[in-house]
Amino acid sequence: MQHLQQLVIEAIETSQFPETPTNLYDPIRYILTLGGKRVRPVLTLMAAELFGMQEMDEIIPAAKAVEFFHNFSLIHDDLMDKAPLRRGKTTVHEKWDANIAILSGDGLLVKAYEEISKCNPVYLPATLRILSKVAMEVCEGQQLDMDYESRASLSMPEYLEMIRLKTSVLLGGALQLGAILSGANEQQQQLIYDFGENVGLAFQLQDDILDAYGDPDTFGKIVGGDIMINKKTFLLVKLMEVIAEEDVPTMQYLLHSTVESVPTKVEDMLTLYDKYQVREAADELKDIYTQRAFEKMDALDVPNERKEALLLLANNLLVRQQ
Amino acid sequence: MQHLQQLVIEAIETSQFPETPTNLYDPIRYILTLGGKRVRPVLTLMAAELFGMQEMDEIIPAAKAVEFFHNFSLIHDDLMDKAPLRRGKTTVHEKWDANIAILSGDGLLVKAYEEISKCNPVYLPATLRILSKVAMEVCEGQQLDMDYESRASLSMPEYLEMIRLKTSVLLGGALQLGAILSGANEQQQQLIYDFGENVGLAFQLQDDILDAYGDPDTFGKIVGGDIMINKKTFLLVKLMEVIAEEDVPTMQYLLHSTVESVPTKVEDMLTLYDKYQVREAADELKDIYTQRAFEKMDALDVPNERKEALLLLANNLLVRQQ
């Protein structure tokens, strides 16, 4: 996997873009060199290896397309969410401005399609179809996320569908692209897609759990950050679903407080989480998604030794220090 | 041509999009029903007919891709330019908000690629290459336009390159897509592309001229509107290029005035335009581009009677009531 990661990093970071207009291309160069683990494009290469493809040169454009698409969505999402930082660095709209973030994001989306069109033309209708399907779903997920922000409550099915669209379909799609380009049939493509989508769902639940219960030394973000801003995570949605009448005023009071006005906001909310065992519910659902992912991998019709790398990656993603 | 226009309008206006999320798909439905002449997608169909294609069903997806792309750029450009109106109706970012304009524009760009991928797969690498090339150029043109807005002056080559990218390449690209899908060879593709790009340049110059000299009864916008806001048109760029030292203070005074502070701003600027014959220079350059367009059409290796419809359209576009 490290070898594939190196391939991807080199391909991404040596991508050439025109010099001018600098306000269009500098933000694209900037976001692509902010680093990150490049998990999504690595998944594309790993899926190709899984299905026996040896020529990684043929898969690299699809991997780049996936990473370009992901970074387009980061630029626009950060702008829409007014986020000041991305991977510890200033976001594009802060470093430049909103218009430049809109346009350089647009450019990067076009570049994603430009990359995918370099792939084996035999598979072009299929790869294009998947890229566009995933792209629309990611847009839908981001729109739902924004819509839900202003709503008082959210049902669990709504929450799960939102995270599926916003974060999980791209993991499935990244894998499916590698499968398509290696000649996998549609049934096999569906299995590897489902593996990715379920890993994505489990990962997102883990992210929700870690934000509330993570080790402050290793988590990387401020523990309790989601609670501070009333972010609708699995934990909060679950709490709202199961909370008894008598505790609703306490919850509402906390949701209408800031850590400035109520310094114990995070601990008090965690007390409610504990009382209603929402963490256990999250762990349980995470395990179900993880189990489902492994079942999909199990059903894949390729030699077991070729599955090892992806299983190891999934394990690494899903068993984080807590 | 009216028959093709009907085909296009019907194809665009009966496009189906998912019901939800409504904040993602309603703006897309809205912008696509604002009307307009649908010149760009009609060009795609006309180019296909020019090269002998009879099956318009095979070309419609490319025509839709062109119109979807154009409308994506309208949503994002209107947001970046803070425009309140588009075709006399409220713009997307005004009717909804900035975030919804960003995301629904993104979605429409993805939908453009979804349409193009429905075309004959034999030509998919070529059609994708042209769509992405044109799309990047339109982004570059918009970025240059924004960059130039804050600059005190602009050279004529800079201005012409900006309008080429922002408005003309899409006319050329729309035609080239129709040519590709009709099996035209690369030399013929280039000729029809060049025809479209030159018609586009001539049309943009005409637009600059009409804004200052058009008939208030037929122009549709306020005559002198560009002058009021110091928009860098061919006329202003040319004036800055040729103006004598002695008239610079007058020009600068007018550029630093509003019609509120100096009610004669438009007439006084027109007096300078007349003194330096910038309108004549614009007419001359418009004629050169028009001539070039006709030469490209002349060089095309198809029966003359098939050229008539496009020549008539170009004539209609370029000989407007003044």
Side-chain angles (χ1 to χ4, degrees), chain B residues 56-119:
Chain B
M56 283 302 120
D57 285 357
E58 283 192 33
I59 316 297
I60 287 284
K64 284 174 76 173
V66 166
E67 188 67 5
F68 286 4
F69 172 79
H70 177 56
N71 281 271
F72 137 76
S73 77
L74 296 182
I75 295 177
H76 280 194
D77 285 5
D78 284 343
L79 170 61
M80 291 185 269
D81 300 342
K82 299 189 170 47
L85 295 175
R86 163 69 56 189
R87 293 178 186 137
K89 300 274 173 60
T90 315
T91 43
V92 168
H93 64 102
E94 286 283 332
K95 194 174 164 77
W96 286 272
D97 62 30
N99 284 356
I100 287 175
I102 293 170
L103 206 55
S104 60
D106 293 344
L108 203 41
L109 177 53
V110 171
K111 285 287 173 189
Y113 278 100
E114 210 175 89
E115 285 300 325
I116 204 88
S117 65
K118 294 178 190 165
C119 290

Side-chain angles (χ1 to χ4, degrees), chain B residues 15-77:
Chain B
S15 298
Q16 293 296 311
F17 300 97
E19 271 309 305
T20 58
T22 53
N23 280 336
L24 179 61
Y25 291 111
D26 280 355
I28 290 177
R29 278 184 275 269
Y30 174 76
I31 190 99
L32 290 177
T33 51
L34 283 189
K37 295 186 300 295
R38 315 288 188 189
V39 171
R40 294 160 193 81
V42 168
L43 286 177
T44 304
L45 299 190
M46 289 177 83
E49 280 203 339
L50 178 75
F51 290 105
M53 167 60 80
Q54 318 242 325
E55 271 306 316
M56 283 302 120
D57 285 357
E58 283 192 33
I59 316 297
I60 287 284
K64 284 174 76 173
V66 166
E67 188 67 5
F68 286 4
F69 172 79
H70 177 56
N71 281 271
F72 137 76
S73 77
L74 296 182
I75 295 177
H76 280 194
D77 285 5

Side-chain angles (χ1 to χ4, degrees), chain B residues 101-320:
Chain B
I102 293 170
L103 206 55
S104 60
D106 293 344
L108 203 41
L109 177 53
V110 171
K111 285 287 173 189
Y113 278 100
E114 210 175 89
E115 285 300 325
I116 204 88
S117 65
K118 294 178 190 165
C119 290
N120 187 337
V122 171
Y123 301 120
L124 202 42
T127 52
L128 272 175
R129 197 177 62 81
I130 294 307
L131 182 62
S132 294
K133 171 178 157 286
V134 165
M136 282 314 300
E137 289 177 333
V138 170
C139 288
E140 289 178 4
Q142 171 67 7
Q143 186 60 56
L144 291 176
D145 197 13
M146 295 195 297
D147 289 343
Y148 293 164
E149 228 170 82
S150 54
R151 272 177 41 182
S153 73
L154 196 60
S155 76
M156 188 53 79
E158 285 175 327
Y159 174 74
L160 294 174
E161 177 66 358
M162 186 271 282
I163 61 167
R164 186 183 75 82
L165 293 168
K166 191 172 167 169
T167 68
S168 307
V169 296
L170 183 54
L171 299 189
L175 288 162
Q176 189 171 356
L177 288 175
I180 291 169
L181 291 167
S182 313
N185 68 32
E186 287 191 15
Q187 184 221 13
Q188 299 291 299
Q189 285 177 35
Q190 188 64 47
L191 286 170
I192 194 67
Y193 172 89
D194 289 342
F195 168 78
E197 193 182 273
N198 280 290
V199 167
L201 285 161
F203 186 76
Q204 184 58 48
L205 290 181
Q206 173 177 276
D207 210 52
D208 285 359
I209 297 165
L210 285 177
D211 196 281
Y213 296 100
D215 178 345
D217 295 336
T218 56
F219 179 51
K221 288 183 275 188
I222 297 167
V223 175
D226 288 346
I227 294 176
M228 290 178 199
I229 60 167
N230 298 339
K231 189 169 169 205
K232 293 193 185 72
T233 63
F234 177 92
L235 304 171
L236 181 55
V237 172
K238 188 74 192 172
L239 178 68
M240 287 174 160
E241 201 178 69
V242 299
I243 195 167
E245 199 69 52
E246 69 204 46
D247 285 322
V248 169
T250 311
M251 179 181 75
Q252 288 300 343
Y253 167 76
L254 291 172
L255 289 174
H256 288 88
S257 308
T258 63
V259 277
E260 285 74 39
S261 64
V262 180
T264 58
K265 173 172 176 170
V266 173
E267 293 116 277
D268 293 352
M269 193 60 97
L270 286 173
T271 304
L272 281 177
Y273 284 179
D274 290 344
K275 177 168 176 185
Y276 290 97
Q277 298 184 298
V278 297
R279 183 198 173 150
E280 286 74 6
D283 281 330
E284 209 173 293
L285 188 56
K286 177 191 157 189
D287 288 347
I288 291 173
Y289 288 132
T290 306
Q291 192 53 41
R292 250 183 235 167
F294 289 153
E295 282 165 19
K296 299 292 179 178
M297 184 59 87
D298 208 47
L300 266 175
D301 191 21
V302 302
N304 277 333
E305 61 270 23
R306 281 216 231 113
K307 299 180 181 175
E308 278 166 19
L310 272 168
L311 289 172
L312 188 65
L313 175 66
N315 259 317
N316 284 340
L317 286 172
L318 297 177
V319 190
R320 274 164 61 176

Side-chain angles (χ1 to χ4, degrees), chain A residues 23-25 72 76 79-80 99 102-103 106-107 109-110 113 117 128 132 136 139-140 142-143 146-147, chain B residues 23-25 72 76 79-80 99 102-103 106-107 109-110 113 117 128 132 136 139-140 143 146-147:
Chain A
N23 280 336
L24 178 61
Y25 291 111
F72 137 76
H76 280 193
L79 170 61
M80 290 185 269
N99 283 357
I102 294 170
L103 206 56
D106 293 345
L109 177 54
V110 171
Y113 278 100
S117 65
L128 271 175
S132 293
M136 281 314 301
C139 287
E140 290 178 4
Q142 170 67 7
Q143 185 60 56
M146 295 195 298
D147 288 343
Chain B
N23 280 336
L24 179 61
Y25 291 111
F72 137 76
H76 280 194
L79 170 61
M80 291 185 269
N99 284 356
I102 293 170
L103 206 55
D106 293 344
L109 177 53
V110 171
Y113 278 100
S117 65
L128 272 175
S132 294
M136 282 314 300
C139 288
E140 289 178 4
Q143 186 60 56
M146 295 195 297
D147 289 343

Side-chain angles (χ1 to χ4, degrees), chain A residues 24-76:
Chain A
L24 178 61
Y25 291 111
D26 280 355
I28 291 177
R29 279 184 275 269
Y30 174 76
I31 190 98
L32 290 176
T33 50
L34 284 188
K37 296 186 298 296
R38 315 289 188 188
V39 171
R40 294 160 193 80
V42 168
L43 286 176
T44 305
L45 299 190
M46 290 177 83
E49 279 202 340
L50 177 76
F51 289 105
M53 167 59 80
Q54 317 243 326
E55 271 305 318
M56 283 302 120
D57 285 357
E58 283 192 32
I59 316 298
I60 288 283
K64 285 174 75 172
V66 165
E67 187 67 6
F68 285 5
F69 173 79
H70 177 57
N71 281 271
F72 137 76
S73 76
L74 296 182
I75 295 177
H76 280 193

